[in-house]
Amino acid sequence: MASSELQVVNTSPNLRGWKGNYYWAALETGKGVYDFSVIDAELARLNQGNPVPRKKLIIGLSSSGFLRTHDQDPGGFLNAVLPSYLTTDTTYGSAPKAGTNGWWYGGSGFAITAAVWRQAVTDRVIALLQALGARYNSNPDVEGVVLTETASQVGEGGGYNDNTLLSQLERTLTAATAAFPNTNVVIENNFLGNQPNTSALVLFQNSHRVAESGPDLLGKTAADKTSPPKELTWGQQCVTGYPGTGCANLTGSIAVIQNVDEPELLGTQFQGAGAPFTPLDIYHNGEDYLHASHLMWTYLVGRPTNNWPTIAAMVDTHPIRYTACPTSYPGCDTR
């Protein structure tokens, strides 16, 4: 899939870059042993032939993986998502499957997730971010690094606590911005256990140069239905300053680098909200409500309904409107 996506982006003048999604296990093959060859190869392919302007890569780092069945035995999937040392070393705490460690069920049981509310596990995430920063912070073709959505990390046992997760994520983001002083650091903060903690993390992001994101962005027609709109995530509601979130309107202050996932495009989820949405409807939500500086559209390769031609045509005629530096940033490159 990546090969065909990279070719499309490389040959589309109005698409500015590509987000690659990488499981933690793919980048750390042993404790402290890092293999970034897949990122290097995709960077090279993205700019094959030296397109003008050069294309940017966003590195999506995932420490969670979604399951098809609630609380199922992950089998071989566990080792595809998390490095084997993490899941075998008792240093990283208990796990629901006998003989494994360092992980738990998150996202209402439909994800396996690194138990990042445990400091020892977070320490290893920070080490990975430091290694990535040492390699890519100075690369002008790397636009940002995106951390796993918060909803998938909300656990169901294993010593999980909402407040502990919040504090460990703040540790992680502090280390990430130190490792990437010249690169966007982004977290998909959609639902962090409860609205107060979600808002607390958004406010932390705003004061620490961390961009807000999420996996889902519905059409503006859905967001217009209620006030505050339930069709905005808790994180998005905080950004837009809706009553009850504890947040002032942060648009223009916090950077928003927003993903658009396949359910919004295919209509396989959110049907009651009016899905499938047109790309222009989704664009209006990202721009009018969130003042997003980046919209990352899922490329539906081989799906029964492929909206990409419609998306590409919309992108050609509707460039991103909010291109100034966010005021929470000390400075940025707006090219």
Side-chain angles (χ1 to χ4, degrees):
M1 289 178 65
S3 178
S4 58
E5 290 184 17
L6 289 164
Q7 176 64 19
V8 169
V9 173
N10 194 8
T11 55
S12 301
N14 292 319
L15 301 178
R16 299 305 301 270
W18 183 76
K19 178 189 174 190
N21 295 307
Y22 308 96
Y23 283 134
W24 183 355
L27 303 179
E28 188 175 9
T29 57
K31 187 174 182 179
V33 179
Y34 302 107
D35 182 358
F36 301 148
S37 57
V38 64
I39 299 177
D40 291 340
E42 289 172 348
L43 262 173
R45 177 67 184 272
L46 189 59
N47 278 299
Q48 196 170 49
N50 294 313
V52 179
R54 289 182 66 80
K55 306 298 183 178
K56 307 291 187 179
L57 174 71
I58 290 180
I59 299 169
L61 174 59
S62 183
S63 57
S64 299
F66 282 98
L67 306 166
R68 293 185 180 273
T69 306
H70 187 274
D71 288 358
Q72 72 177 30
D73 183 341
F77 185 50
L78 177 64
N79 289 329
V81 177
L82 301 176
S84 59
Y85 78 85
L86 187 81
T87 62
T88 55
D89 190 334
T90 57
T91 301
Y92 305 108
S94 63
K97 181 182 178 183
T100 63
N101 299 278
W103 67 279
W104 210 265
Y105 291 114
S108 299
F110 285 97
I112 59 167
T113 184
V116 292
W117 53 90
R118 302 173 185 166
Q119 182 171 336
V121 177
T122 294
D123 287 345
R124 298 310 309 159
V125 176
I126 289 172
L128 173 58
L129 287 166
Q130 289 169 337
L132 284 165
R135 187 171 187 87
Y136 296 111
N137 177 67
S138 61
N139 189 324
D141 293 334
V142 175
E143 182 78 355
V145 58
V146 181
L147 303 184
T148 302
E149 70 166 290
T150 54
S152 71
Q153 299 176 84
V154 174
E156 301 180 324
Y160 173 80
N161 177 275
D162 285 342
N163 294 334
T164 304
L165 176 60
L166 173 61
S167 64
Q168 291 302 320
L169 288 177
E170 289 176 347
R171 278 189 68 224
T172 301
L173 294 176
T174 299
T177 53
F180 287 92
N182 309 109
T183 307
N184 292 297
V185 173
V186 190
I187 185 167
E188 294 189 348
N189 180 20
N190 53 351
F191 298 102
L192 184 54
N194 55 67
Q195 178 70 70
N197 280 19
T198 305
S199 293
L201 188 59
V202 171
L203 295 172
F204 181 90
Q205 294 167 233
N206 189 51
S207 61
H208 289 78
R209 195 199 35 96
V210 177
E212 168 65 5
S213 187
D216 299 304
L217 184 65
L218 308 192
K220 188 171 184 288
T221 53
D224 284 341
K225 282 187 173 182
T226 58
S227 182
K230 69 172 184 176
E231 312 304 348
L232 292 180
T233 68
W234 290 341
Q236 291 167 351
Q237 288 186 32
C238 176
V239 167
T240 52
Y242 274 93
T245 62
C247 307
N249 191 324
L250 301 176
T251 54
S253 175
I254 194 170
V256 175
I257 298 176
Q258 178 66 44
N259 198 68
V260 183
D261 215 342
E262 65 179 78
E264 296 92 273
L265 298 171
L266 288 180
T268 54
Q269 193 175 340
F270 312 117
Q271 294 96 326
F277 306 105
T278 67
L280 183 59
D281 192 11
I282 295 171
Y283 166 88
H284 282 313
N285 192 358
E287 292 295 280
D288 295 347
Y289 274 133
L290 300 179
H291 294 195
S293 61
H294 301 64
L295 293 175
M296 301 177 290
W297 301 85
T298 300
Y299 183 41
L300 305 173
V301 179
R303 296 295 200 271
T305 303
N306 189 334
N307 284 277
W308 189 256
T310 310
I311 295 167
M314 188 279 295
V315 167
D316 284 343
T317 55
H318 292 83
I320 290 288
R321 298 200 305 268
Y322 294 98
T323 57
C325 290
T327 58
S328 65
Y329 273 32
C332 66
D333 184 345
T334 59
R335 289 175 293 178

